[in-house]
Amino acid sequence: MIHAASRQRNVIPGFTLTMGFSLLYLTLLFLIPVGGLLLYTSLMSWEEFWRAVSHPQVVASYKLSFTASLIAASINLVFGLLVAWVLVRYQFPFKRIVDALIDLPFALPTAVAGIALVTLYASTGWVGQYLNLFGIRIAYTQLGVVLALTYIGLPFVVRTVQPVLEDFEAELEEASSALGASRLTTLCRVIFPTLLPALLTGFALAFARALGEYGSVVFISGNLPYKTEITPLLIVAKAEQYDYNGAAAIGTVMLLAAFVMLLIINFLQWWSSRRFSH
Amino acid sequence: MSIRIHQINKRFKDFVAVDNVTLELPEGELTALLGPSGSGKTTLLRIIAGLEQPDSGRIEFYGEDATHQHVSDRGVGFVFQHYALFKHMTVYENVAYGLTVKPRRFRPSKDEIRKKVMRLLELVQLDWTAHRYPSQLSGGQRQRIALARALAVEPKVLLLDEPFGALDAKVRAELRRWLRRLHDEIHVTSVFVTHDQEEALEVSDRVVVMNQGRVEQEGTPEEVYDHPANPFVYQFLGNVNRFHTHIESGHARIGNLSIPAPELTDVDQKSGLTYIRPHDFEVLAEKSAENAIHAVIETVLVVGPTVRLELRTDSADELIHVELPKHRFRELGLLQGDDAWLKPLNSRIFLASA
Amino acid sequence: MSSTSTSVPLLSTPDLSHTWKRATDEPDWVRRSLITIALVFLGLFLVLPLAVVLYSAFEQGLGVWYAAITEPDAAASIRLTLLVVVFVVPINVIFGVAVAWAITKFEFPGKPLLLAIIDMPFAISPVVVGLIFVILFGSQGWLGNWLSAHDMRIIFAVPGIIIVIAFGTLPFVARELIPLMQQQGKQEEEASLTLGASGWKTFWYVTLPNIKWGLIYGVILCNARAMGEFGAVAIVSGRIRGETNTMPLHIEVLYNEYMFTAAFAVSSILTGLALVTIAIKSTVEWFESRHNAE
């Protein structure tokens, strides 16, 4: 006789092995190192920490990183929705190739994206030379930072909105239309609210990714202190000068920001699954 | 007795799925586990298979304790509701799987495997599908392949979890009869789970009615249908009319109707419930019998060869459902709104639970 | 109407396709403008960067391109990158399969937390990843003295590069497999076990064929991201030419030395890899949608 098994047993084997390996790997590669950074920072005095993270140059970089990421994610919100809509609803030549290309910023190394973008948008580049005629300069300005961050965040909104749009029941639109709503009313009152959680999730993902981005930005931004210097760049600079305390302090701020973004993203996903699970 | 289930208990968090079930499944027979969803029948089946572990209790196969035996050593054939055929393998590979994964020492030769698989495919009348993939077959065909796959390992017991649940009505009825014939041919001890009483009554040698994790009644289909042990079984096996009844000195009174209740002679002045199936009424156009209830026909529904009537009695708020053959209804010449008299032919009285 | 249309003159069956509009359709001009805007946006952001890489790489002919990628430092960076991948991809594949198996086939407390932890390396800036290991293993770091006393180098050496890239690409295989295996449930595995198969045989003959495509894409993506990792490697590598420069770092060095053609030549290899990656993803999705339609 078995009495109240201590653990819910499953006939499928391998739990101990797979779970054991997973936890060991995560602990060694992820939990201990991340904990190490937090511990390292916590051993600094509060004054030292505060001095490192509130230096005007650092604060300027927060402002740039935050604002540029926000603008880039907003651009992706608008165009990502548009692209997802066009890809799901309309037919046009080479649609499958266009659809596949959406993932390019995700698969292309950021350094390659960086030199490609700066080559295109420099004042002598394919696009930059024409913008230059109107006095618009992108490379080595804050616009360049926004451009690079828009590039790397592009897949997120498209890829979160696309499946929701694909599953969207045409009956809902037909019902709205049959009840006398115009196409625009249907769009605003029926379709858009359904897409909202996915849109916000995609926005948050693009924003989180942009905050930490380094490779694609450093080439196009010009890295001028107080002007076009993003926070990750400061960490690299401090690490290269062996200023580990300064780097660790700023790195901790970024780590915490990433945790907060992850919490927000998880909340958004939980919200959307709760709202739309039948 | 081939399979003995002794005091099995299983709970999922706060939900009691199987509540102290003891059962014996006779060798070579086809037993149906019948019950509504959530009655614990599938969990019990999975415990017999070794796919779930009971919290307590004991399972014996042919006198040997199998409680701790792992599913892959238990020698059961399990047929899943949604077939669980291996999508990436052909029909042939699916059926051969159980033989090809045997340790080398026990594995039959390639030739033997081929012969056996083809024989099984002939048995399920699908030998022509051997090189197709499951996705190219219909639901009924997939289920037959799943059955052949389970039989390939010569299981001690064949377990089927709602085997026809995912099929449409016509295929279901065909497959049901086919399973009955197949079982008469191969006589492997089998248990199948269903929530469809008609299926259970038609196919099985024995029926086990389950509700809320407990066994309510077991017996041959006829025993269970004709002599339900309690109101649950009565209601679950087919449609039934229920009447609040007053019992006095061996008679049950429903309104002005009095039904003799010989089994309740020693009960007096108690309330109870009387159950009468829709086809257990005789419908009369005139009051030609003593013990008949007057009612007015509210609805007439012709469903194929039978007619379903809904009638309202003088006292009851609830409608009485009656079924009779179409030709009989024609002879009566009754129409909607007409008066009719109902004479119960068969009834069952249960005392209200104390 | 359709049954009689052959005998009726064409004029009497009005063609409704121009006047009749589906309830879910936008006017033609709206549709065309939306497609145009989307394609212009994607052209500017996706096609042009791709074009400029390939154009600049091959601008001066195949000979120059070939010379650029076979030049000793470039060749060394390619070799190093491949070496890193040989370590990183297998271990992250094993991790991805193991963690997906544990998460999708079993119930245990803390599952949402584990899922969140798997996603974390993706949310953390690559620069912070690099910094973490510099602080742990760098010469000024916690274990620096101990490591140098034992004549071991992790930072500014190959082990450091492998570690940070393993960290950065940790989630990719798992993230591909978990939803796939969740959707497939565990019935086929249970069927295999009832037929007497052992756990390994069940995994090998039943689970693996079912997750094959998702796994292939996960491996390819993990590989592409491993080869292209930049921020984290930039901190731990020290950029020693011919020794600790991976391909992306070598690209940076070449670019900063104004050797644009060479930079783009090396870039074109990684770009080709990225294109293969998205082609495989698209193929896998096509297979799956066809599979689900059956």
Side-chain angles (χ1 to χ4, degrees):
Chain A
M1 291 268 266
I2 315 153
H3 284 285
S6 53
R7 189 165 63 82
Q8 206 68 260
R9 286 197 45 147
N10 189 318
V11 292
I12 295 179
F15 181 75
T16 318
L17 180 73
T18 55
M19 193 66 176
F21 176 77
S22 301
L23 288 182
L24 180 74
Y25 188 63
L26 278 175
T27 308
L28 287 180
L29 189 64
F30 178 77
L31 293 176
I32 292 178
V34 169
L37 174 69
L38 295 176
L39 185 65
Y40 187 93
T41 308
S42 71
L43 293 177
M44 293 164 61
S45 73
W46 173 251
E47 286 75 31
E48 193 183 4
F49 174 78
W50 185 248
R51 214 172 31 244
V53 300
S54 66
H55 186 279
Q57 190 182 357
V58 180
V59 172
S61 83
Y62 296 151
K63 279 185 190 152
L64 174 65
S65 275
F66 188 84
T67 323
S69 299
L70 203 64
I71 296 170
S74 307
I75 294 172
N76 278 320
L77 186 71
V78 176
F79 283 93
L81 173 62
L82 181 80
V83 168
W85 179 268
V86 166
L87 282 175
V88 173
R89 292 301 178 96
Y90 303 146
Q91 293 303 324
F92 52 90
F94 304 113
K95 184 172 144 174
R96 271 176 52 81
I97 294 177
V98 172
D99 191 358
L101 272 180
I102 301 290
D103 286 313
L104 191 64
F106 198 62
L108 194 72
T110 52
V112 176
I115 64 168
L117 288 175
V118 70
T119 308
L120 278 177
Y121 290 92
S123 52
T124 52
W126 292 359
V127 182
Q129 55 181 311
Y130 299 108
L131 294 175
N132 215 14
L133 296 178
F134 301 100
I136 303 171
R137 292 172 60 93
I138 289 187
Y140 315 123
T141 68
Q142 296 187 339
L143 274 181
V145 178
V146 173
L147 181 88
L149 295 182
T150 307
Y151 177 83
I152 54 113
L154 195 147
F156 293 102
V157 176
V158 183
R159 291 297 188 229
T160 47
V161 170
Q162 219 174 358
V164 184
L165 256 183
E166 267 162 9
D167 290 346
F168 195 82
E169 295 157 73
E171 281 94 337
L172 290 178
E173 282 169 68
E174 288 170 352
S176 163
S177 185
L179 291 167
S182 73
R183 192 73 193 129
L184 194 65
T185 313
T186 304
L187 192 73
C188 296
R189 305 259 314 257
V190 178
I191 301 173
F192 191 71
T194 314
L195 296 181
L196 192 63
L199 277 171
L200 289 176
T201 308
F203 176 85
L205 283 167
F207 179 74
R209 180 73 208 278
L211 275 184
E213 179 58 21
Y214 173 72
S216 59
V217 179
V218 286
F219 295 96
I220 202 170
S221 71
N223 310 328
L224 300 167
Y226 296 98
K227 287 224 174 81
T228 61
E229 206 172 43
I230 54 168
T231 312
L233 184 87
L234 275 178
I235 295 178
V236 176
K238 289 201 186 298
E240 278 173 356
Q241 292 152 17
Y242 298 101
D243 176 8
Y244 288 179
N245 282 2
I250 303 170
T252 302
V253 171
M254 288 196 63
L255 197 63
L256 296 179
F259 287 158
V260 170
M261 286 312 299
L262 209 62
L263 267 178
I264 292 173
I265 290 163
N266 274 329
F267 169 76
L268 286 171
Q269 277 163 348
W270 170 80
W271 178 46
S272 81
S273 71
R274 227 175 74 108
R275 194 161 157 196
F276 297 110
S277 59
H278 302 287
Chain B
M1 282 295 162
S2 66
I3 296 174
R4 205 185 283 266
I5 297 156
H6 189 67
Q7 295 182 342
I8 289 288
N9 282 289
K10 175 78 180 177
R11 48 168 63 231
F12 296 105
K13 294 198 177 124
D14 294 334
F15 177 72
V16 180
V18 178
D19 188 2
N20 206 26
V21 167
T22 298
L23 262 184
E24 290 187 345
L25 304 171
E27 182 165 358
E29 290 202 346
L30 179 53
T31 304
L33 292 180
L34 174 66
S37 59
S39 61
K41 54 193 192 306
T42 293
T43 308
L44 183 61
L45 192 78
R46 289 172 62 88
I47 289 173
I48 300 173
L51 288 168
E52 301 287 347
Q53 192 180 37
D55 298 335
S56 68
R58 194 176 149 85
I59 305 269
E60 271 176 31
F61 280 22
Y62 299 93
E64 268 179 56
D65 186 359
T67 321
H68 299 276
Q69 217 168 15
H70 189 259
V71 54
S72 34
D73 306 323
R74 216 176 266 205
V76 296
F78 200 97
V79 177
F80 293 81
Q81 182 179 3
H82 297 286
Y83 332 121
L85 290 177
F86 307 128
K87 298 186 276 292
H88 60 284
M89 295 183 198
T90 62
V91 164
Y92 179 90
E93 288 164 339
N94 262 284
V95 178
Y97 182 85
L99 302 170
T100 52
V101 297
K102 277 184 198 257
R104 192 152 291 153
R105 281 172 294 147
F106 305 111
R107 197 184 306 159
S109 73
K110 271 223 164 83
D111 207 45
E112 282 172 279
I113 291 180
R114 198 181 54 80
K115 276 191 194 138
K116 185 160 193 182
V117 171
M118 291 318 289
R119 205 168 58 238
L120 280 164
L121 286 177
E122 276 163 33
L123 182 71
V124 300
Q125 297 156 352
L126 286 170
D127 44 330
W128 50 279
T129 65
H131 298 291
R132 302 202 174 182
Y133 284 90
S135 59
Q136 295 166 295
L137 305 181
S138 71
Q141 291 169 336
R142 285 183 213 183
Q143 196 55 290
R144 273 144 69 193
I145 297 300
L147 192 64
R149 183 179 69 177
L151 290 173
V153 291
E154 294 176 14
K156 291 180 217 151
V157 54
L158 182 64
L159 305 168
L160 304 103
D161 182 12
E162 300 250 8
F164 315 124
L167 303 169
D168 59 55
K170 192 160 171 290
V171 181
R172 240 178 130 103
E174 273 169 30
L175 213 55
R176 217 190 259 175
R177 258 162 252 146
W178 174 84
L179 177 68
R180 182 64 252 179
R181 281 200 306 275
L182 182 80
H183 187 263
D184 290 343
E185 223 170 291
I186 57 176
H187 279 295
V188 57
T189 309
S190 308
V191 184
F192 83 103
V193 156
T194 180
H195 63 263
D196 181 341
Q197 33 97 13
E198 210 178 302
E199 194 166 287
L201 297 177
E202 186 178 330
V203 179
S204 60
D205 299 310
R206 292 176 66 75
V207 177
V208 176
V209 184
M210 289 189 69
N211 183 35
Q212 296 183 340
R214 285 186 307 272
V215 173
E216 298 281 353
Q217 189 176 6
E218 54 171 310
T220 65
E222 231 183 327
E223 277 167 13
V224 173
Y225 189 79
D226 292 341
H227 306 287
N230 55 42
F232 172 80
V233 178
Y234 216 117
Q235 283 181 310
F236 191 67
L237 295 178
N239 298 323
V240 71
N241 292 292
R242 197 174 70 163
F243 301 93
H244 289 282
T245 310
H246 191 69
I247 299 161
E248 37 182 56
S249 53
H251 280 74
R253 295 190 65 86
I254 308 166
N256 55 3
L257 189 75
S258 174
I259 303 171
E263 71 273 25
L264 297 171
T265 40
D266 49 344
V267 179
D268 201 24
Q269 303 297 338
K270 286 225 163 127
S271 58
L273 291 166
T274 300
Y275 291 84
I276 307 176
R277 297 212 183 274
H279 56 259
D280 279 340
F281 281 107
E282 171 145 36
V283 183
L284 305 164
E286 284 154 35
K287 195 182 178 191
S288 52
E290 259 309 291
N291 229 349
I293 324 166
H294 171 255
V296 179
I297 301 177
E298 287 212 340
T299 331
V300 178
L301 267 178
V302 183
V303 186
T306 55
V307 175
R308 289 185 194 153
L309 303 178
E310 286 178 7
L311 305 100
R312 192 176 292 281
T313 59
D314 304 335
S315 58
D317 305 326
E318 277 178 52
L319 292 169
I320 301 183
H321 298 261
V322 174
E323 264 178 45
L324 69 168
K326 191 149 80 180
H327 66 88
R328 173 81 191 115
F329 183 68
R330 289 241 177 88
E331 284 166 17
L332 288 167
L334 288 168
L335 295 171
Q336 194 174 341
D338 284 356
D339 289 318
W341 280 264
L342 301 174
K343 185 179 175 212
L345 300 174
N346 202 345
S347 62
R348 181 73 197 267
I349 301 146
F350 293 102
L351 286 175
S353 47
Chain C
M1 188 192 262
S2 61
S3 62
T4 59
S5 61
T6 46
S7 59
V8 176
L10 276 172
L11 277 175
S12 69
T13 55
D15 183 5
L16 289 173
S17 62
H18 291 301
T19 50
W20 196 84
K21 200 158 69 67
R22 206 173 270 287
T24 52
D25 278 351
E26 285 79 36
D28 233 23
W29 66 270
V30 173
R31 194 165 60 218
R32 278 170 206 280
S33 344
L34 290 180
I35 293 176
T36 311
I37 298 171
L39 290 183
V40 167
F41 174 76
L42 295 178
L44 273 177
F45 272 89
L46 298 181
V47 180
L48 274 185
L50 198 60
V52 83
V53 172
L54 297 179
Y55 176 83
S56 313
F58 296 104
E59 196 182 4
Q60 298 177 30
L62 223 55
V64 176
W65 176 82
Y66 186 74
I69 62 164
T70 48
E71 177 268 330
D73 284 349
S77 79
I78 294 172
R79 272 199 306 277
L80 174 62
T81 308
L82 291 176
L83 175 75
V84 168
V85 162
V86 164
F87 281 98
V88 166
V89 174
I91 190 151
N92 277 340
V93 168
I94 293 170
F95 166 75
V97 172
V99 83
W101 182 269
I103 283 178
T104 59
K105 308 287 177 198
F106 300 89
E107 293 305 320
F108 53 89
K111 199 191 265 194
L113 183 70
L114 182 62
L115 280 166
I117 291 177
I118 295 170
D119 269 348
M120 269 182 205
F122 190 67
I124 297 174
S125 170
V127 165
V128 175
V129 175
L131 174 72
I132 285 172
F133 290 97
V134 166
I135 282 173
L136 284 182
F137 300 123
S139 56
Q140 315 281 311
W142 274 350
L143 298 175
N145 287 335
W146 186 85
L147 285 170
S148 59
H150 290 78
D151 207 20
M152 282 193 283
R153 276 186 85 104
I154 291 182
I155 299 306
F156 302 153
V158 178
I161 297 173
I162 292 176
I163 291 171
V164 293
I165 291 180
F167 186 114
T169 56
L170 186 147
F172 291 114
V173 178
R175 281 165 62 112
E176 280 308 310
L177 293 185
I178 290 169
L180 190 65
M181 286 166 75
Q182 212 127 43
Q183 182 204 329
Q184 286 176 343
K186 47 187 187 184
Q187 251 196 5
E188 286 189 34
E189 280 81 8
E190 286 182 346
S192 168
L193 292 170
T194 63
L195 292 166
S198 66
W200 276 116
K201 279 185 172 161
T202 298
F203 175 74
W204 193 256
Y205 293 121
V206 175
T207 311
L208 204 56
N210 273 334
I211 60 171
K212 183 173 57 188
W213 287 106
L215 185 62
I216 289 174
Y217 175 60
V219 169
I220 293 288
L221 181 65
C222 180
N223 177 64
R225 294 295 297 243
M227 290 178 80
E229 179 62 58
F230 182 66
V233 187
I235 291 192
V236 298
S237 112
R239 292 189 184 79
I240 307 164
R241 269 194 177 210
E243 271 182 53
T244 63
N245 262 356
T246 60
M247 287 164 80
L249 289 180
H250 191 60
I251 292 169
E252 186 198 21
V253 169
L254 291 171
Y255 184 85
N256 288 342
E257 289 171 358
Y258 303 103
M259 297 169 72
F260 296 135
T261 308
F264 280 112
V266 180
S267 295
S268 69
I269 300 174
L270 291 173
T271 307
L273 185 75
L275 288 176
V276 170
T277 307
I278 61 175
I280 287 178
K281 177 177 187 230
S282 161
T283 313
V284 167
E285 279 172 357
W286 182 69
F287 266 116
E288 275 170 5
S289 67
R290 222 177 49 148
H291 189 85
N292 291 340
E294 271 169 1

Short mmCIF file of all heavy atoms in Angstrom, two decimals, chain A residues 13-44:
data_model
loop_
_atom_site.label_atom_id
_atom_site.label_comp_id
_atom_site.label_asym_id
_atom_site.label_seq_id
_atom_site.Cartn_x
_atom_site.Cartn_y
_atom_site.Cartn_z
N PRO A 13 9.30 9.65 -17.35
CA PRO A 13 10.54 9.71 -16.56
C PRO A 13 11.36 10.97 -16.87
O PRO A 13 11.04 11.73 -17.78
CB PRO A 13 11.29 8.47 -17.03
CG PRO A 13 10.82 8.22 -18.42
CD PRO A 13 9.42 8.77 -18.52
N GLY A 14 12.39 11.17 -16.10
CA GLY A 14 13.39 12.18 -16.44
C GLY A 14 13.25 13.50 -15.71
O GLY A 14 13.97 14.44 -16.02
N PHE A 15 12.33 13.59 -14.74
CA PHE A 15 12.17 14.88 -14.08
C PHE A 15 13.43 15.28 -13.31
O PHE A 15 13.93 16.39 -13.45
CB PHE A 15 10.97 14.84 -13.14
CG PHE A 15 10.72 16.15 -12.44
CD1 PHE A 15 10.16 17.21 -13.13
CD2 PHE A 15 11.06 16.32 -11.11
CE1 PHE A 15 9.95 18.42 -12.51
CE2 PHE A 15 10.85 17.54 -10.48
CZ PHE A 15 10.29 18.59 -11.19
N THR A 16 13.92 14.36 -12.52
CA THR A 16 15.09 14.68 -11.69
C THR A 16 16.27 15.08 -12.56
O THR A 16 16.96 16.07 -12.29
CB THR A 16 15.47 13.46 -10.84
OG1 THR A 16 14.28 12.88 -10.34
CG2 THR A 16 16.35 13.86 -9.68
N LEU A 17 16.50 14.31 -13.63
CA LEU A 17 17.63 14.57 -14.51
C LEU A 17 17.51 15.93 -15.19
O LEU A 17 18.42 16.78 -15.11
CB LEU A 17 17.72 13.46 -15.57
CG LEU A 17 18.86 13.58 -16.56
CD1 LEU A 17 20.17 13.25 -15.87
CD2 LEU A 17 18.64 12.64 -17.75
N THR A 18 16.37 16.18 -15.84
CA THR A 18 16.25 17.42 -16.62
C THR A 18 16.17 18.63 -15.71
O THR A 18 16.79 19.65 -15.96
CB THR A 18 15.00 17.37 -17.52
OG1 THR A 18 13.85 17.10 -16.71
CG2 THR A 18 15.13 16.31 -18.58
N MET A 19 15.39 18.49 -14.62
CA MET A 19 15.25 19.61 -13.71
C MET A 19 16.57 19.88 -13.01
O MET A 19 16.97 21.03 -12.84
CB MET A 19 14.16 19.27 -12.68
CG MET A 19 13.70 20.44 -11.90
SD MET A 19 12.86 21.62 -12.98
CE MET A 19 12.36 22.77 -11.76
N GLY A 20 17.25 18.82 -12.63
CA GLY A 20 18.53 18.97 -11.95
C GLY A 20 19.53 19.69 -12.83
O GLY A 20 20.16 20.67 -12.40
N PHE A 21 19.65 19.25 -14.07
CA PHE A 21 20.60 19.89 -14.97
C PHE A 21 20.21 21.34 -15.21
O PHE A 21 21.06 22.25 -15.16
CB PHE A 21 20.69 19.15 -16.30
CG PHE A 21 21.58 19.83 -17.29
CD1 PHE A 21 22.95 19.72 -17.17
CD2 PHE A 21 21.06 20.60 -18.32
CE1 PHE A 21 23.79 20.37 -18.07
CE2 PHE A 21 21.89 21.26 -19.22
CZ PHE A 21 23.26 21.14 -19.09
N SER A 22 18.92 21.59 -15.46
CA SER A 22 18.47 22.95 -15.75
C SER A 22 18.80 23.89 -14.59
O SER A 22 19.32 24.99 -14.80
CB SER A 22 16.96 22.97 -15.99
OG SER A 22 16.63 22.13 -17.06
N LEU A 23 18.48 23.43 -13.37
CA LEU A 23 18.71 24.30 -12.22
C LEU A 23 20.20 24.52 -11.99
O LEU A 23 20.63 25.64 -11.68
CB LEU A 23 18.05 23.71 -10.97
CG LEU A 23 16.53 23.79 -10.96
CD1 LEU A 23 15.97 23.23 -9.66
CD2 LEU A 23 16.04 25.22 -11.16
N LEU A 24 20.99 23.47 -12.17
CA LEU A 24 22.43 23.60 -11.98
C LEU A 24 23.00 24.62 -12.98
O LEU A 24 23.75 25.53 -12.62
CB LEU A 24 23.10 22.24 -12.18
CG LEU A 24 24.61 22.22 -12.02
CD1 LEU A 24 24.97 22.34 -10.54
CD2 LEU A 24 25.24 20.96 -12.61
N TYR A 25 22.60 24.46 -14.23
CA TYR A 25 23.10 25.33 -15.29
C TYR A 25 22.69 26.78 -15.04
O TYR A 25 23.50 27.71 -15.11
CB TYR A 25 22.56 24.83 -16.62
CG TYR A 25 23.15 25.50 -17.85
CD1 TYR A 25 24.50 25.41 -18.13
CD2 TYR A 25 22.34 26.20 -18.73
CE1 TYR A 25 25.04 26.00 -19.27
CE2 TYR A 25 22.86 26.81 -19.87
CZ TYR A 25 24.22 26.70 -20.13
OH TYR A 25 24.74 27.28 -21.24
N LEU A 26 21.39 26.96 -14.71
CA LEU A 26 20.90 28.31 -14.45
C LEU A 26 21.60 28.93 -13.25
O LEU A 26 21.92 30.13 -13.25
CB LEU A 26 19.39 28.29 -14.19
CG LEU A 26 18.49 28.26 -15.42
CD1 LEU A 26 17.04 28.11 -15.00
CD2 LEU A 26 18.66 29.54 -16.24
N THR A 27 21.84 28.12 -12.24
CA THR A 27 22.48 28.64 -11.04
C THR A 27 23.91 29.08 -11.33
O THR A 27 24.32 30.20 -10.97
CB THR A 27 22.48 27.57 -9.92
OG1 THR A 27 21.14 27.10 -9.77
CG2 THR A 27 22.98 28.14 -8.62
N LEU A 28 24.66 28.21 -11.99
CA LEU A 28 26.07 28.51 -12.25
C LEU A 28 26.22 29.67 -13.22
O LEU A 28 27.04 30.57 -13.02
CB LEU A 28 26.78 27.27 -12.81
CG LEU A 28 27.05 26.16 -11.83
CD1 LEU A 28 27.75 25.01 -12.51
CD2 LEU A 28 27.90 26.69 -10.67
N LEU A 29 25.45 29.64 -14.29
CA LEU A 29 25.67 30.62 -15.35
C LEU A 29 24.92 31.92 -15.09
O LEU A 29 25.35 32.99 -15.51
CB LEU A 29 25.22 30.04 -16.69
CG LEU A 29 25.58 30.86 -17.93
CD1 LEU A 29 27.08 30.95 -18.08
CD2 LEU A 29 24.97 30.27 -19.18
N PHE A 30 23.78 31.81 -14.39
CA PHE A 30 22.94 32.99 -14.31
C PHE A 30 22.77 33.52 -12.89
O PHE A 30 23.12 34.66 -12.60
CB PHE A 30 21.57 32.66 -14.91
CG PHE A 30 20.60 33.80 -14.84
CD1 PHE A 30 20.69 34.86 -15.73
CD2 PHE A 30 19.62 33.82 -13.87
CE1 PHE A 30 19.82 35.92 -15.65
CE2 PHE A 30 18.74 34.89 -13.79
CZ PHE A 30 18.84 35.94 -14.69
N LEU A 31 22.26 32.67 -11.99
CA LEU A 31 21.89 33.19 -10.66
C LEU A 31 23.10 33.67 -9.87
O LEU A 31 23.09 34.78 -9.33
CB LEU A 31 21.12 32.12 -9.88
CG LEU A 31 19.75 31.78 -10.46
CD1 LEU A 31 19.09 30.65 -9.68
CD2 LEU A 31 18.84 33.01 -10.46
N ILE A 32 24.17 32.85 -9.83
CA ILE A 32 25.34 33.26 -9.04
C ILE A 32 25.99 34.51 -9.63
O ILE A 32 26.24 35.48 -8.90
CB ILE A 32 26.35 32.09 -8.91
CG1 ILE A 32 25.74 30.99 -8.04
CG2 ILE A 32 27.67 32.56 -8.34
CD1 ILE A 32 26.61 29.76 -7.87
N PRO A 33 26.24 34.55 -10.95
CA PRO A 33 26.85 35.78 -11.49
C PRO A 33 26.00 37.04 -11.28
O PRO A 33 26.53 38.08 -10.86
CB PRO A 33 26.99 35.46 -12.98
CG PRO A 33 27.09 33.98 -13.04
CD PRO A 33 26.20 33.49 -11.97
N VAL A 34 24.69 36.94 -11.53
CA VAL A 34 23.84 38.12 -11.34
C VAL A 34 23.82 38.51 -9.87
O VAL A 34 23.94 39.69 -9.51
CB VAL A 34 22.41 37.87 -11.88
CG1 VAL A 34 21.48 38.98 -11.46
CG2 VAL A 34 22.44 37.76 -13.40
N GLY A 35 23.69 37.49 -9.01
CA GLY A 35 23.75 37.76 -7.58
C GLY A 35 25.08 38.40 -7.21
O GLY A 35 25.15 39.28 -6.36
N GLY A 36 26.14 37.94 -7.90
CA GLY A 36 27.48 38.50 -7.65
C GLY A 36 27.53 39.99 -7.91
O GLY A 36 28.08 40.76 -7.11
N LEU A 37 26.93 40.42 -9.01
CA LEU A 37 26.93 41.85 -9.33
C LEU A 37 26.19 42.63 -8.27
O LEU A 37 26.66 43.68 -7.79
CB LEU A 37 26.29 42.09 -10.71
CG LEU A 37 26.12 43.57 -11.07
CD1 LEU A 37 27.46 44.24 -11.31
CD2 LEU A 37 25.21 43.75 -12.27
N LEU A 38 25.00 42.10 -7.88
CA LEU A 38 24.21 42.80 -6.87
C LEU A 38 24.96 42.88 -5.54
O LEU A 38 24.98 43.91 -4.88
CB LEU A 38 22.85 42.11 -6.69
CG LEU A 38 21.95 42.15 -7.93
CD1 LEU A 38 20.67 41.36 -7.70
CD2 LEU A 38 21.62 43.59 -8.31
N LEU A 39 25.62 41.76 -5.19
CA LEU A 39 26.38 41.75 -3.95
C LEU A 39 27.54 42.75 -4.02
O LEU A 39 27.79 43.51 -3.08
CB LEU A 39 26.91 40.33 -3.70
CG LEU A 39 27.64 40.12 -2.38
CD1 LEU A 39 26.67 40.29 -1.21
CD2 LEU A 39 28.28 38.74 -2.33
N TYR A 40 28.23 42.74 -5.16
CA TYR A 40 29.37 43.64 -5.36
C TYR A 40 28.93 45.09 -5.14
O TYR A 40 29.57 45.86 -4.43
CB TYR A 40 29.91 43.47 -6.78
CG TYR A 40 31.18 44.21 -7.06
CD1 TYR A 40 32.41 43.59 -6.90
CD2 TYR A 40 31.16 45.53 -7.50
CE1 TYR A 40 33.60 44.26 -7.16
CE2 TYR A 40 32.32 46.22 -7.77
CZ TYR A 40 33.55 45.57 -7.59
OH TYR A 40 34.72 46.24 -7.84
N THR A 41 27.79 45.43 -5.74
CA THR A 41 27.29 46.79 -5.61
C THR A 41 26.87 47.09 -4.18
O THR A 41 27.11 48.18 -3.67
CB THR A 41 26.09 47.00 -6.55
OG1 THR A 41 26.47 46.59 -7.86
CG2 THR A 41 25.67 48.45 -6.59
N SER A 42 26.26 46.07 -3.54
CA SER A 42 25.77 46.33 -2.18
C SER A 42 26.92 46.52 -1.20
O SER A 42 26.72 47.08 -0.11
CB SER A 42 24.86 45.17 -1.73
OG SER A 42 25.66 44.03 -1.50
N LEU A 43 28.13 46.08 -1.57
CA LEU A 43 29.28 46.28 -0.68
C LEU A 43 29.85 47.69 -0.79
O LEU A 43 30.67 48.10 0.02
CB LEU A 43 30.36 45.24 -0.99
CG LEU A 43 29.97 43.79 -0.67
CD1 LEU A 43 31.08 42.83 -1.07
CD2 LEU A 43 29.62 43.64 0.81
N MET A 44 29.42 48.41 -1.84
CA MET A 44 29.90 49.81 -1.95
C MET A 44 29.16 50.66 -0.92
O MET A 44 28.05 50.33 -0.52
CB MET A 44 29.56 50.36 -3.35
CG MET A 44 30.33 49.68 -4.47
SD MET A 44 29.61 50.02 -6.09
CE MET A 44 29.75 51.78 -6.17
#
